[in-house]
Amino acid sequence: MNTIEFNRATIRFNESFSLADIEWRIAPREIWAITGANGSGKSALVATLAGKGEIMSGSIEGIPPGVGVVSLEAQAELIERERERDDSDITDEISQGTPVAQMLDEVSTNSDLLDRLIEMFRFAPLLGRGFRKLSTGETRKVLLTRALTCDPEMLVLDNPFEGLDADTVPQVREMLRQKSNEITMVLVFNRFDEIPDFVTHIVYLENGSIKYKIETRDSSAVEALSQLLHLKKTDIEIPKADLNEKIPVLDDSSPLVRIRNASIRYGQNTVFQNLDWCIWPQQHWQLTGPNGSGKTCLLNLITGDHPQSYSNDIFVFGYQRGSGESIWDIKQYIGYVSTSLLWEYRVSINLINVVISGFYDSIGLYNEASASEKRIALQWLRLLGLEGQADQPFNCLSYGEQRLLLIARAMVKHPPLLILDEPCLGLDDINRQLILALIEKICLGSESTVLYVNHHAEDKIKGIKYHLSLG
Amino acid sequence: MANYFNTLTLRQQLSQLGKCEFMDPSEFSDGSNYLLGKKIVVIGCGSQGLNQGLNLRDSGLDVSYTLREAAITEQRQSWKNATENGFAVGTYAELIPGADLVLNLTPDKQHGAVVTEVVPLMKQNSCLSYSHGFNIVEEGMHIRSDITVIMVAPKCPGTEVREEYKRGFGVPTLIAVHEDNDPRAEGLAIAKAYAAGTGGHRAGVLMSSFIAEVKSDLMGEQTILCGMLQTGSLLCFDKMVENGVEPGYAAKLVQYGWETVGEALKHGGITNMMDRLSNPAKIRAFELAQEMKDIMRPLYLKHMDDIMTGDFSSGMMDDWANGDKKLLDWRKETGETVFESTESSDPEIPEQEYFDHGILMVAMVKAGVELAFETMTSAGIKEESAYYESLHETPLIANLIARKKLFEMNSIISDTAEYGCYLYNHACQPLLSDFMAKVDTDVIGRGLGLNDFYVDNHRLIEVNAAIRNHPVEAVGKTLRAHMRAMKKIV
């Protein structure tokens, strides 16, 4: 591989975002980590290495043909490809999707490594399953496997550890360490503490430009950067609920959720069985389990998004499921955020309406918002530092910013049950601290009961005392 | 069985054809309560069947699926679709007798056989629902007189019906009651509750009749939707290749051009589609469309007349009885066209170029949509029906051509649409041959190539006014306002 050179390159991505004046040299076998706040251009910068964006001035030279990429953008492209291949809208037959085995075979040239990764990621039972049927973590593993086994000259990994279960992270880190002696890597990290020790250089981005470039040998520079990233926001004030909203009052003497002897099955495959769970008001729960253990399935039994909600014994918010209630009767009590919501939220809408849609449990906004709803939504945008962009389109935001907004959407109505499925994925250190602080405050208050899923031991929440572990 | 429409008096025919009103949202304040606690049994578990069932259940209704015995014992895909989603599944004999409402969501062509088998099993005073009225109106099927017969037809594919529901919205839906089968006068209440259960009431419900639905659906699908796009594809492609445009580029411009143009149409009607052209190109497209409308008008009238008299459907049913001989021959013929066998070239064509180099295609869409709309409304069909069966569905077929080209597009659409599409194409190609001899690659394939975009102000104002004041634009604007959740076609 040759040296890659960015010469005062200005690269445009959409109407509201460009990278400006990028000067950058990546020599062979250097390992770069890119950091910066959400929306600073981290993903955009690595996307240029995959040929994305329109070069408006300057130049980019020396990008090798074989680049292995893992990013939310690459994931979105694969999901989109699956949607395009899905002909069920025209054939009237339900599509099963491209099986994992084929997703891996179509790019892999290194079959030894492929076998090793299949074992390490415990893929064997998943090989026949459709790509879109995988859980968030499993999907990430497929992307990583594709990138590693296509014999790349360079690896571009946007948050390589994101969504992986705690057991897998050290294994992947070790594998990357071995590869670091052979090939060039550009890695994006939202969290400073995830940057591995084999990284040779760090780039810090701000508003679409490179603010700092440092070598990791220079420990004082690294120390200074780390402090910069940990400036804490203080005095968080959670915007109040809308007093005009009328969610029917719940009976305090019965649980919010009671699941009895539940099981989820696809054909011969059992995700879990004999599961009992009871959630009482003000009992905050943390849910853990390895990728594919059924965490999201379980949450979807509660939200009503899982079709097998009806074949299980589930009592939620005073309704026995399947007794004539509608899913909107259920959803009015829930605020919800997850990675799949990010993929489902594909409508053209501006930022403020995304937050307001939380009052209506809808994707997109189909109702006329009241003045008080708008006022509260603006308060949330201010808290997230996005109030200046209230009228901007949602799909022009980075994935990290989109997630922040969906968290606000989940919290905006102060729901009796707040379900946060790995809320901090894709968030930078400062926003993560903000969100964790928000969740802590909510746990201390008396309106919402919190149900929290995460993989990061560091992201513990004070106030969560109950714990359910799957798998 | 006799053609039902032809048994009616002229007065009845006109009154049925003219039925189509946009229902006020307040009519749905009761949601799907009318069906609460009733047993709903769906026949068929394809994409429409499964996705409508999922929505109805999420609205609190009791839904199960009935399949042929073989599909159950062999655990076919339809059985898996239903059971993996937690639905009860049983044979006709097991489930139909207990059903209060039976939803027939099998392909149109099977309706005759399925209904004949199912109705004797249905209990007294129950209800049978269709999603398309061909079996009742054209085949003249009689349903036992104690049974209520309704139609509920979401105007989008099943996947979209589900996706929009999950977002908290719905897709536009047409409902109708078969007046000969409404013994307890509850057909409308059932249809409304069913439409609300699928989320359709949030995107707008049109109250129509079996007859208006069938006659307008047949007219739209065989003229503008499948017919015009097929004829236009072949003519535009051949013209470009004949005049030296690289065949791979020509194939790509045609295959994806309809979709790009259709996307503009979907969001802002003919006005927006035409506004995507430069001013000189817009005037050219307008003039081409006017000329084609004059040439093609007799053909549109003939299609409408044949549909009204029943000649079209009796001719087609003869072919059904003859093992689809004509249909299969014509399908084969389409598969052998040069357009079909030419590989589209690789390089992306920028979105705007589809307009700039496809002026004739834009003109064809405009001419076809307006003619179909005008012909239908002059035959007594209401503007709302005519809009849905012309402009609204054009982007859907355009999307199909982008994904599958013509041969597969024809295999996928209903046999009724396909048969009519070939009839149209066979007549329309020769009709346009003199016209096509006069046009060149400036309007199809290469663009006008202007440096100076001068237009006469008066002429532009005249053309803009003619585009914007066409009646399809006024009704389209109202109906689109109800579908605020417009999203890009995947």
Side-chain angles (χ1 to χ4, degrees):
Chain A
M1 192 192 109
N2 300 319
T3 296
I4 300 173
E5 290 196 52
F6 286 66
N7 299 307
R8 303 210 56 186
T10 292
I11 308 125
R12 183 176 178 278
F13 285 84
N14 56 45
E15 283 135 43
S16 51
F17 189 80
S18 298
L19 292 167
D21 274 334
I22 302 294
E23 279 281 341
W24 189 19
R25 289 182 78 247
I26 309 170
R29 283 195 289 284
E30 284 179 351
I31 310 297
W32 286 79
I34 301 176
T35 60
N38 287 127
S40 61
K42 302 184 297 294
S43 299
L45 186 58
V46 294
T48 60
L49 297 171
K52 297 285 153 53
E54 192 182 347
I55 301 174
M56 308 304 284
S57 63
S59 65
I60 307 176
E61 279 155 24
I63 296 178
V67 181
V69 184
V70 172
S71 65
L72 284 173
E73 194 173 37
Q75 187 175 347
E77 276 173 15
L78 285 177
I79 291 175
E80 193 58 29
R81 192 182 75 170
E82 286 295 287
R83 281 202 184 103
E84 278 168 16
R85 286 180 180 176
D86 183 346
D87 283 342
S88 58
D89 57 337
I90 51 185
T91 57
D92 207 46
E93 283 162 19
I94 305 297
S95 150
Q96 304 306 305
T98 311
V100 170
Q102 191 185 327
M103 299 286 294
L104 300 178
D105 282 343
E106 69 187 12
V107 292
S108 298
T109 50
N110 186 336
S111 60
D112 286 349
L113 182 59
L114 180 59
D115 290 344
R116 259 171 63 208
L117 286 169
I118 287 176
E119 197 187 324
M120 179 169 123
F121 288 149
R122 296 184 287 271
F123 265 156
L126 300 178
L127 289 172
R129 196 176 296 178
F131 179 65
R132 277 201 286 172
K133 303 242 165 83
L134 299 181
S135 74
T136 308
E138 290 164 348
T139 309
R140 293 293 289 193
K141 289 175 174 174
V142 169
L143 265 91
L144 269 173
T145 308
R146 280 167 60 101
L148 287 165
T149 57
C150 68
D151 266 336
E153 289 186 55
M154 177 166 76
L155 273 175
V156 172
L157 309 176
D158 192 341
N159 285 290
F161 307 134
E162 203 151 270
L164 299 183
D165 34 30
D167 298 353
T168 322
V169 172
Q171 292 175 288
V172 173
R173 194 187 293 123
E174 196 43 44
M175 176 151 289
L176 293 180
R177 181 197 306 282
Q178 288 166 20
K179 284 260 171 198
S180 70
N181 300 320
E182 303 161 23
I183 56 175
T184 313
M185 286 187 215
V186 177
L187 312 169
V188 176
F189 292 100
N190 287 320
R191 308 163 63 119
F192 204 74
D193 57 10
E194 278 189 338
I195 297 180
D197 53 12
F198 55 83
V199 165
T200 59
H201 295 74
I202 299 176
V203 163
Y204 180 76
L205 283 167
E206 205 171 272
N207 298 326
S209 298
I210 293 181
K211 183 93 185 268
Y212 305 108
K213 266 181 281 196
I214 59 173
E215 285 192 53
T216 48
R217 281 188 309 207
D218 182 352
S219 55
S220 63
V222 173
E223 180 64 22
L225 188 57
S226 149
Q227 280 177 358
L228 179 76
L229 295 179
H230 283 84
L231 291 175
K232 247 195 160 173
K233 285 199 184 183
T234 47
D235 292 340
I236 307 166
E237 201 55 63
I238 298 179
K240 297 242 174 336
D242 186 356
L243 296 173
N244 302 320
E245 298 284 319
K246 293 177 203 76
I247 302 175
V249 182
L250 287 167
D251 173 8
D252 262 359
S253 65
S254 74
L256 295 172
V257 176
R258 189 183 61 226
I259 296 176
R260 281 196 281 227
N261 197 23
S263 63
I264 299 274
R265 282 192 191 89
Y266 299 105
Q268 305 301 319
N269 200 338
T270 300
V271 181
F272 56 72
Q273 56 189 349
N274 307 329
L275 187 132
D276 293 290
W277 196 15
C278 203
I279 300 174
W280 289 88
Q282 292 307 302
Q283 288 186 349
H284 308 300
W285 284 80
Q286 176 155 2
L287 175 62
T288 55
N291 296 140
S293 58
K295 297 185 295 296
T296 302
C297 280
L298 178 57
L299 298 178
N300 285 343
L301 284 184
I302 297 172
T303 61
D305 290 328
H306 200 290
Q308 294 181 21
S309 313
Y310 295 93
S311 42
N312 278 298
D313 177 356
I314 295 167
F315 172 89
V316 274
F317 314 112
Y319 296 101
Q320 181 67 33
R321 288 314 313 274
S323 64
E325 78 297 340
S326 85
I327 48 164
W328 310 107
D329 294 331
I330 308 288
K331 285 181 191 287
Q332 62 180 335
Y333 295 105
I334 298 174
Y336 181 63
V337 70
S338 71
T339 300
S340 59
L341 182 64
L342 199 64
W343 304 126
E344 283 160 21
Y345 217 107
R346 296 185 306 131
V347 286
S348 57
I349 184 168
N350 62 23
L351 304 200
I352 185 166
N353 284 347
V354 170
V355 179
I356 294 172
S357 71
F359 286 113
Y360 297 94
D361 314 307
S362 58
I363 290 178
L365 186 62
Y366 312 102
N367 298 69
E368 201 63 52
S370 72
S372 60
E373 286 166 353
K374 285 183 193 158
R375 185 172 41 76
I376 292 168
L378 267 177
Q379 291 168 359
W380 278 97
L381 290 181
R382 195 166 306 136
L383 182 66
L384 302 177
L386 292 166
E387 75 266 41
Q389 300 172 55
D391 296 324
Q392 292 294 310
F394 179 63
N395 56 16
C396 285
L397 294 183
S398 74
Y399 284 118
E401 291 169 316
Q402 289 186 3
R403 188 181 289 266
L404 275 180
L405 223 54
L406 292 180
I407 293 171
R409 172 186 176 272
M411 294 178 171
V412 68
K413 66 176 176 186
H414 294 231
L417 184 64
L418 180 60
I419 301 180
L420 304 160
D421 187 352
E422 303 194 69
C424 293
L425 281 191
L427 298 189
D428 63 44
D429 283 293
I430 292 172
N431 279 323
R432 185 166 53 91
Q433 285 163 24
L434 169 68
I435 296 304
L436 293 176
L438 279 174
I439 302 172
E440 257 170 32
K441 279 213 156 189
I442 290 172
C443 286
L444 292 174
S446 61
E447 290 166 300
S448 299
T449 302
V450 173
L451 213 170
Y452 176 63
V453 181
N454 96 322
H455 288 301
H456 274 278
E458 315 89 271
D459 289 354
K460 274 231 159 54
I461 304 274
K462 265 184 265 162
I464 295 188
K465 298 203 180 68
Y466 297 84
H467 185 213
L468 177 67
S469 171
L470 289 179
Chain B
M1 292 183 285
N3 185 305
Y4 170 70
F5 181 68
N6 292 348
T7 66
L8 302 179
T9 65
L10 175 65
R11 184 171 26 80
Q12 289 170 319
Q13 288 179 339
L14 290 176
S15 120
Q16 291 291 312
L17 280 172
K19 207 170 256 181
C20 187
E21 58 176 307
F22 198 82
M23 297 179 76
D24 193 85
S26 65
E27 297 223 38
F28 295 89
S29 53
D30 198 33
S32 45
N33 285 343
Y34 194 85
L35 288 172
L36 215 56
K38 301 268 169 59
K39 285 234 168 296
I40 301 175
V41 173
V42 185
I43 315 175
C45 196
S47 175
Q48 276 295 347
L50 176 62
N51 287 305
Q52 285 193 31
L54 286 166
N55 288 3
L56 292 169
R57 183 174 66 178
D58 277 346
S59 296
L61 303 179
D62 177 352
V63 179
S64 51
Y65 285 80
T66 182
L67 302 171
R68 293 191 177 283
E69 190 138 20
I72 298 173
T73 49
E74 291 165 25
Q75 308 204 338
R76 286 191 199 150
Q77 193 57 47
S78 54
W79 178 85
K80 284 187 196 147
N81 292 345
T83 47
E84 279 192 3
N85 283 291
F87 287 106
V89 181
T91 60
Y92 292 180
E94 285 163 350
L95 292 185
I96 298 284
D100 297 296
L101 170 61
V102 174
L103 311 186
N104 174 17
L105 294 171
T106 57
D108 301 348
K109 215 170 158 179
Q110 296 174 18
H111 284 186
V114 168
V115 170
T116 309
E117 193 177 341
V118 158
V119 165
L121 297 171
M122 287 177 67
K123 72 176 174 191
Q124 280 287 310
N125 304 337
S126 55
C127 177
L128 173 66
S129 175
Y130 281 88
S131 56
H132 181 40
F134 191 88
N135 180 237
I136 295 281
V137 175
E138 303 289 322
E139 294 185 86
M141 174 70 75
H142 281 281
I143 309 287
R144 219 172 63 211
S145 63
D146 63 287
I147 293 177
T148 304
V149 176
I150 61 167
M151 175 172 15
V152 174
K155 302 306 280 176
C156 286
T159 38
E160 212 163 320
V161 171
R162 179 64 180 153
E163 212 166 302
E164 288 294 342
Y165 182 90
K166 290 208 293 192
R167 289 179 176 160
F169 201 54
V171 307
T173 300
L174 185 149
I175 65 173
V177 178
H178 185 37
E179 290 179 6
D180 289 8
N181 279 87
D182 193 13
R184 287 163 302 284
E186 62 170 354
L188 181 58
I190 297 175
K192 275 164 50 178
Y194 174 3
T198 62
H201 64 309
R202 300 196 191 96
V205 175
L206 283 174
M207 167 79 184
S208 182
S209 68
F210 271 65
I211 284 166
E213 188 272 337
V214 169
K215 300 293 185 186
S216 60
D217 183 68
L218 289 174
M219 180 63 189
E221 68 190 17
Q222 53 192 253
T223 58
I224 167 63
L225 299 176
C226 309
M228 188 71 243
L229 296 191
Q230 165 141 353
T231 305
S233 296
L234 298 173
L235 291 177
C236 290
F237 175 80
D238 291 347
K239 183 81 209 177
M240 281 189 270
V241 173
E242 178 191 325
N243 289 16
V245 175
E246 200 270 306
Y249 178 85
K252 186 157 200 163
L253 189 71
V254 169
Q255 184 181 352
Y256 299 99
W258 301 120
E259 186 185 38
T260 311
V261 167
E263 189 68 22
L265 186 72
K266 175 180 176 180
H267 287 274
I270 306 236
T271 303
N272 181 56
M273 175 182 75
M274 295 291 280
D275 283 348
R276 293 297 310 269
L277 295 166
S278 70
N279 285 329
K282 184 200 279 184
I283 294 175
R284 264 315 269 292
F286 176 81
E287 287 165 351
L288 291 168
Q290 291 301 97
E291 207 179 322
M292 282 188 284
K293 280 176 76 174
D294 287 341
I295 300 171
M296 298 190 298
R297 186 167 284 113
L299 178 63
Y300 279 69
L301 294 174
K302 176 172 173 15
H303 274 265
M304 191 80 258
D305 292 345
D306 288 349
I307 289 166
M308 288 298 184
T309 57
D311 284 356
F312 165 75
S313 51
S314 66
M316 182 180 64
M317 286 187 283
D318 287 347
D319 193 47
W320 290 2
N322 196 21
D324 294 319
K325 169 93 180 61
K326 286 186 191 166
L327 184 86
L328 295 174
D329 283 353
W330 291 337
R331 188 186 287 177
K332 185 158 167 274
E333 211 175 279
T334 305
E336 288 163 357
T337 58
V338 185
F339 167 66
E340 198 64 26
S341 57
T342 305
E343 199 65 39
S344 288
S345 58
D346 261 349
E348 288 286 310
I349 298 179
E351 197 246 14
Q352 183 59 38
E353 191 171 312
Y354 282 108
F355 293 92
D356 298 340
H357 290 191
I359 299 169
L360 181 60
M361 293 169 72
V362 173
M364 284 174 167
V365 171
K366 177 176 188 289
V369 167
E370 289 182 356
L371 267 181
F373 182 87
E374 290 165 22
T375 315
M376 283 191 250
T377 50
S378 73
I381 291 166
K382 283 282 275 284
E383 290 190 334
E384 287 83 355
S385 310
Y387 172 84
Y388 274 111
E389 301 301 346
S390 58
L391 197 153
H392 173 80
E393 301 230 338
T394 302
L396 300 177
I397 303 294
N399 170 256
L400 215 50
I401 293 177
R403 286 156 65 177
K404 301 281 173 189
K405 294 180 93 168
L406 300 178
F407 177 76
E408 284 213 43
M409 177 273 277
N410 276 304
S411 327
I412 286 164
I413 57 177
S414 72
D415 284 359
T416 324
E418 184 180 8
Y419 188 89
C421 163
Y422 296 137
L423 288 182
Y424 177 94
N425 184 47
H426 290 149
C428 193
Q429 284 213 44
L431 203 56
L432 285 175
S433 68
D434 289 347
F435 169 83
M436 286 303 295
K438 287 187 307 182
V439 301
D440 204 343
T441 51
D442 58 338
V443 292
I444 182 69
R446 296 210 170 99
L448 297 179
L450 299 174
N451 292 319
D452 178 358
F453 286 77
Y454 165 81
V455 288
D456 179 71
N457 278 318
H458 285 286
R459 180 63 180 146
L460 182 64
I461 291 166
E462 212 171 76
V463 165
N464 275 335
I467 296 168
R468 286 158 168 70
N469 293 335
H470 192 279
V472 76
E473 291 299 272
V475 67
K477 212 170 163 185
T478 319
L479 293 178
R480 282 194 300 273
H482 292 276
M483 300 180 268
R484 278 168 294 179
M486 288 288 205
K487 65 172 198 328
K488 233 174 124 62
I489 305 175
V490 176

